[in-house]
Amino acid sequence: MSTFLGWNGLRWLNALTAIMVLLVMVDAFIGHYRSGFAVRAQYTPFLSGGAILIAAVLAGIAPHEGWALQLLLVTGAGGVLTGIVGAGYHHYYGITSKPGGYGWLLHHLMHHAPPLAPFALSAVGALAVLVATGLRGSGAVLGVPLRTAALCVVAVTLAGAALQATLLHYRGAFNNPLMYAPLTTPVLSAAAVPWLILTRGRWALLSVTVLFEATFLIGFVGLGMHLRGFDRMMGGLRVALPNVLDGPAMTAPALFSGFAAAGLTALYLL
Amino acid sequence: MGDRMTRVADARERTLTAPGIDGERVPMRDRSREEVDFCIVGAGAGGGTLGAKLAEAGFSVVIIDAGPHWDPTRDFVSDEAASHPLFWTDERISAGEHPIELGSNNSGRGVGGSTVHYSMIAMRAHPDDFRRRTILGEIAGAELRDWPLGYADLEPFYEEVEHDLQVAGPTFYPWGRRRKRYPQREHDLNACAKVLVEGCTKLGIPVAPAPIATLSAPHRGRSPCVYRGFCNYGCTTNAKSSVLVTYVPRAIRAGAEVRPGCMAARIEHDSRGLATGVLYFRADGAELHRQRARNVVVAGYAVETPRLLLGSASAMFPDGMANSSGCVGRCFMVHTGDQVFAKFPERINQYKAPPPGGAITEHFNRTIPGEAFVCGYTIEVVGPHVVDFASRMATSRGLWGASLRREMLDYNYWSGLGIVGEVLPRRDNRVELHHDERDRHGLPIPRVVFGYHGNDQAIVRHAVRQMTSILEAAGGRESWHADRTAHLLGGCRMGHDPHDSVVDADCRSHDVPNLWICDGSVFPTSAAVNPSLTIQAIASRTAARIRELAARRELSPHHGHAAPAARIHPAPRGTA
């Protein structure tokens, strides 16, 4: 297994997992705080995410300790499950229980609990499971080679994130042309990954690499643009709290960078 | 004009400034000494929109308005009682079988007009609304007329105005002709709108997000709405796409002068019967000033427009200008705006967010089979603020003193619905000049005579029943009804026949070819939708038609044409 700056692919993935679970929790906190934690289940992502964060840090410090890896595996699986259950909650509270129900589907999708957001925790949890499995010496998860499994997680997540971002950018009427960015390289990356997995060709590898690199950069552009988005709200950054609560999702664009980095790690270090 | 001195406005060259929308001052041309291509009286939905489009087309334009030029960052206060200067509260006499309330619900004063305090509902009229006479035939007691233009004529201009205002509306709007998507997405619902959606869903009545001319996303330096809910008292955040923050800055940028504090007294004409300009009073001055113009546009809305035309009577036009048909001031209409309120167990906070709440149903905006009336109404959400609500409680329920105070403690638990109900035009409903009452300038004050047609009242009875059942289906109790009117329409209707209408489809007077009318008074029938978008679409169309006419040199008969290049002409000094 190749290394980069002294760490192998799994340790890098572990570090990315720790960073991304933090990002996911920040956005979840903003969204759940905004709705006043009206439902007790809204605390769950912080319990689950916090556990993943602790486990990832421990696994980072002690990558060869069986108990640490066991913890990462369990918390990762917990994250996957929490995300799925969370999506159910978002569906129920965001659509089913709202006035008009499915008759107002598009309205509810745009204005209430973001339907796909909880799956971000599932994706990070899946990465944790993958890292734990790898560090324990296994070369495959559920019979799928680690590299392929990681690429699949990355591709599905990028596609989902692009879908969720497009929905919210549609709500914002694509008021800035850069709001089309999630529809560009993230979607193409997600589409190119199966091509790579199925053909293992040089061109496919090159394309996926370039697309991941571009996606990595786009995430940072997104972060900057979302900051600018807060500033374009009433009062701008001088009234930061309400504008952060009501404006674009603060850390969401970083997930594109994070998962693109995870994809590059999988390509070259696994 | 009696013994008053008439003089040409200040002869010195000045550079003017006007309030910008972000608290700055913007430079503005002084056109008081010019004979401009267009002098527009009224800077509201009609005049402001038309003025911007004409100025951008290269015409020299002056827009005068009786009220101030508001600075949205300083002049608007989040206070109901202190917001009265936004309304046209000059003395008027309201008469007839059902005298209407005049003021906050149907007029505006100052640059931006009533769009400064309107509820921003940006609806299109429907194809059938333009063909009432053809569809319904003769109705006793009503004077139905088809419009001289149809939906297809206005459609591109509706689209243009919706784009200019960045109307936030649903992706799929279930009523009316298929349309392009709104420029911005709909707003989230406030609690009152949730009540409407819930009630309608339970009763199987289709309900949809409301199209509102308020930003839901940033647009060119303007921020999206923060849902304060003081829309009817002037928007301090500029999220509201009033004419004040949309078309007026465009007009000024394109070289128009917007002159506030000018009360038009009369339109002047020459010996050939062509308009030559407008005489007006400055805010509290007793002197008359003159703005010379090759074309005069009256955009004062359904009371002040007929008033100015009737008040400009002369030896040549004894019944008032543009009034050879006798139609000026006639077939004046309102919309019925009845409201029903119900109390809910949970907090509603009806004042929050734009008053239209975000939901609407046009399900009853049609002739309903099996009912004894024609035409229909739109059900909208309303959210009156405290003083407004208390006065409705007092007038509609007769509460006063301790009982009113007790009920008002539950203000936050009430939710309301209101209608825009179609009112049929009746010849006897009219705006006329009072024979001896005068305002502070010595101008005769208008007398507004109004009475409902039986059909209007049948619509209201149906609507009140429906609104009550919607509120009750959503869990409301103790419902009560407040009768009310909204919007002013008609009085200078458009039509093909010069003997039966005041202006043609281009809003050009049949009698005086360089006199135009551009506001809600040109509506031949009322259509059960909020009128502002239609007024603005008509203004946009008029501007486009004026460009075409100017290109064909058919615009200004006494000057050949008023194309922007030909600006230097001997100034006609016609007086009445």
Side-chain angles (χ1 to χ4, degrees):
Chain A
M1 193 180 274
S2 343
T3 61
F4 177 66
L5 298 177
W7 278 4
N8 66 20
L10 291 168
R11 294 199 69 181
W12 276 113
L13 275 187
N14 185 49
L16 286 169
T17 304
I19 294 169
M20 282 196 288
V21 78
L22 206 59
L23 297 176
V24 169
M25 283 196 290
V26 169
D27 264 353
F29 181 79
I30 293 169
H32 289 183
Y33 176 73
R34 179 171 184 257
S35 61
F37 286 98
V39 178
R40 201 162 292 171
Q42 286 181 295
Y43 291 104
T44 325
F46 312 106
L47 299 177
S48 172
I52 294 177
L53 181 62
I54 292 167
V57 169
L58 290 176
I61 297 165
H64 305 297
E65 292 287 347
W67 59 266
L69 300 181
Q70 185 69 26
L71 187 64
L72 188 61
L73 185 73
V74 171
T75 55
V80 174
L81 202 66
T82 306
I84 294 168
V85 174
Y89 268 89
H90 275 214
H91 190 86
Y92 175 75
Y93 285 102
I95 301 168
T96 318
S97 73
K98 288 280 186 246
Y102 293 100
W104 280 55
L105 183 64
L106 184 57
H107 176 87
H108 296 324
L109 288 177
M110 286 194 294
H111 284 288
H112 302 129
L116 300 179
F119 288 124
L121 191 60
S122 298
V124 175
L127 278 189
V129 168
L130 209 136
V131 169
T133 313
L135 286 176
R136 288 163 92 191
S138 168
V141 193
L142 303 171
V144 181
L146 280 183
R147 182 172 186 261
T148 310
L151 285 175
C152 287
V153 170
V154 168
V156 170
T157 308
L158 286 180
L163 193 59
Q164 178 66 61
T166 302
L167 187 63
L168 293 176
H169 287 185
Y170 176 68
R171 181 181 79 177
F174 293 97
N175 65 75
N176 185 304
L178 282 174
M179 291 169 82
Y180 288 102
L183 279 173
T184 58
T185 61
V187 172
L188 291 175
S189 314
V193 164
W195 176 35
L196 174 67
I197 292 174
L198 294 176
T199 65
R200 295 163 191 271
R202 253 185 67 219
W203 283 110
L205 180 64
L206 184 67
S207 308
V208 173
T209 304
V210 170
L211 287 168
F212 277 160
E213 284 167 351
T215 304
F216 181 76
L217 292 177
I218 277 179
F220 287 100
V221 174
L223 267 182
M225 291 307 291
H226 277 208
L227 264 179
R228 180 156 180 276
F230 299 138
D231 203 37
R232 290 185 78 194
M233 307 281 286
M234 187 60 212
L237 290 173
R238 284 177 293 123
V239 280
L241 182 63
N243 283 344
V244 165
L245 290 181
D246 251 1
M250 187 154 78
T251 57
L255 286 185
F256 287 108
S257 298
F259 276 92
L264 289 169
T265 310
L267 281 183
Y268 289 100
L269 299 180
L270 284 187
Chain B
M1 289 302 291
D3 53 1
R4 281 210 186 81
M5 203 175 84
T6 303
R7 67 171 201 192
V8 176
D10 193 359
R12 276 168 299 138
E13 188 67 49
R14 288 167 302 170
T15 323
L16 303 174
T17 60
I21 70 169
D22 293 314
E24 80 284 23
R25 301 287 299 185
V26 295
M28 183 169 70
R29 271 188 75 148
D30 179 359
R31 293 189 180 276
S32 53
R33 294 172 58 218
E34 296 172 35
E35 183 193 29
V36 291
D37 293 327
F38 285 88
C39 176
I40 301 175
V41 181
T49 310
L50 179 69
K53 304 260 171 179
L54 290 178
E56 285 172 353
F59 294 104
S60 58
V61 174
V62 165
I63 311 176
I64 67 172
D65 196 283
H69 194 147
W70 306 111
D71 175 346
T73 61
R74 293 188 181 85
D75 294 339
F76 300 151
V77 285
S78 301
D79 180 333
E80 278 186 84
S83 299
H84 280 284
L86 297 181
F87 313 128
W88 189 286
T89 48
D90 284 8
E91 199 180 348
R92 293 156 158 178
I93 291 173
S94 191
E97 207 184 329
H98 304 104
I100 57 165
E101 184 191 338
L102 293 162
S104 64
N105 56 335
N106 49 22
S107 68
R109 189 185 185 84
V111 175
S114 55
T115 68
V116 166
H117 63 79
Y118 77 153
S119 291
M120 307 157 299
I121 303 178
M123 297 166 74
R124 296 181 180 189
H126 300 297
D128 287 355
D129 292 334
F130 300 95
R131 302 165 57 237
R132 280 285 181 251
R133 177 60 201 263
T134 304
I135 291 171
L136 300 172
E138 186 73 47
I139 290 180
E143 210 173 90
L144 290 180
R145 293 289 182 274
D146 285 350
W147 293 47
L149 40 75
Y151 182 82
D153 298 310
L154 279 186
E155 192 173 21
F157 300 101
Y158 273 132
E159 208 165 278
E160 187 183 323
V161 174
E162 282 168 353
H163 178 267
D164 289 346
L165 303 183
Q166 290 288 301
V167 174
T171 303
F172 306 105
Y173 191 69
W175 299 283
R177 192 66 65 82
R178 243 179 83 99
R179 45 156 302 129
K180 263 179 73 176
R181 200 172 55 216
Y182 283 99
Q184 293 203 343
R185 304 292 81 76
E186 78 247 27
H187 292 268
D188 198 2
L189 304 179
N190 73 358
C192 306
K194 284 178 183 155
V195 164
L196 174 65
V197 174
E198 206 166 310
C200 283
T201 307
K202 283 205 175 128
L203 298 176
I205 299 168
V207 58
I212 303 175
T214 301
L215 300 186
S216 66
H219 178 69
R220 295 195 185 144
R222 286 167 57 208
S223 302
C225 182
V226 289
Y227 306 107
R228 297 166 60 252
F230 280 88
C231 318
N232 292 149
Y233 309 99
C235 175
T236 56
T237 72
N238 288 341
K240 175 182 198 165
S241 298
S242 66
V243 166
L244 176 67
V245 304
T246 53
Y247 288 108
V248 165
R250 278 172 58 177
I252 293 173
R253 244 191 333 269
E257 182 193 339
V258 177
R259 196 178 303 154
C262 299
M263 177 68 187
R266 60 187 293 121
I267 302 162
E268 295 183 295
H269 65 81
D270 61 14
S271 57
R272 291 165 297 169
L274 294 173
T276 56
V278 176
L279 291 177
Y280 61 89
F281 291 103
R282 282 281 192 184
D284 285 313
E287 294 161 339
L288 276 171
H289 298 257
R290 169 178 293 133
Q291 176 63 51
R292 291 175 300 129
R294 291 180 201 101
N295 289 272
V296 171
V297 182
V298 188
Y301 211 16
V303 174
E304 298 306 314
T305 291
R307 177 198 193 183
L308 182 58
L309 295 174
L310 296 173
S312 301
S314 63
M316 187 182 268
F317 300 115
D319 299 322
M321 272 186 104
N323 196 21
S324 69
S325 62
C327 285
V328 170
R330 292 284 168 171
C331 292
F332 169 86
M333 295 168 285
V334 295
H335 279 139
T336 44
D338 292 64
Q339 302 177 339
V340 175
F341 293 90
K343 200 178 331 193
F344 285 78
E346 65 277 0
R347 275 178 86 95
I348 297 289
N349 295 345
Q350 52 175 321
Y351 61 91
K352 284 306 283 182
I360 200 165
T361 174
E362 280 200 71
H363 183 62
F364 302 104
N365 185 7
R366 62 202 162 103
T367 296
I368 302 158
E371 294 292 342
F373 58 84
V374 296
C375 308
Y377 56 92
T378 298
I379 298 183
E380 296 167 357
V381 171
V382 295
H385 280 231
V386 184
V387 179
D388 201 0
F389 188 70
S391 64
R392 270 169 234 190
M393 285 267 224
T395 51
S396 299
R397 298 178 68 195
L399 298 178
W400 196 248
S403 61
L404 177 61
R405 196 159 62 208
R406 203 165 42 243
E407 279 293 288
M408 281 304 292
L409 289 176
D410 289 335
Y411 166 76
N412 281 326
Y413 294 82
W414 289 95
S415 188
L417 299 176
I419 58 164
V420 171
E422 184 148 353
V423 162
L424 301 183
R426 297 176 65 206
R427 188 147 188 96
D428 285 345
N429 290 340
R430 63 191 184 273
V431 176
E432 58 190 17
L433 298 182
H434 197 275
H435 53 89
D436 57 359
E437 295 277 352
R438 294 283 184 274
D439 68 9
R440 63 177 191 281
H441 297 299
L443 302 170
I445 67 172
R447 181 169 178 266
V448 180
V449 183
F450 186 81
Y452 286 121
H453 191 280
N455 191 72
D456 309 337
Q457 293 170 310
I459 289 177
V460 168
R461 284 193 294 275
H462 188 273
V464 170
R465 277 201 310 276
Q466 290 298 331
M467 288 193 284
T468 307
S469 52
I470 289 169
L471 287 170
E472 284 173 359
R477 294 288 171 267
E478 302 175 37
S479 64
W480 53 276
H481 158 227
D483 58 351
R484 192 172 167 276
T485 65
H487 314 137
L488 307 172
L489 301 161
C492 293
R493 74 173 165 225
M494 51 163 61
H496 291 302
D497 181 359
H499 303 296
D500 189 50
S501 58
V502 180
V503 292
D504 64 14
D506 300 337
C507 294
R508 185 180 204 169
S509 155
H510 292 301
D511 300 348
V512 184
N514 66 343
L515 177 65
W516 312 70
I517 297 173
C518 189
D519 58 28
S521 63
V522 301
F523 284 33
T525 52
S526 65
V529 298
N530 301 59
S532 65
L533 195 73
T534 303
I535 294 173
Q536 291 185 279
I538 290 175
S540 287
R541 181 180 180 278
T542 299
R545 287 289 298 149
I546 286 173
R547 287 178 66 172
E548 282 172 34
L549 292 169
R552 297 208 305 255
R553 297 175 171 260
E554 290 171 16
L555 189 55
S556 193
H558 64 312
H559 291 307
H561 74 110
R567 213 168 268 156
I568 304 158
H569 290 287
R573 288 291 164 82
T575 45

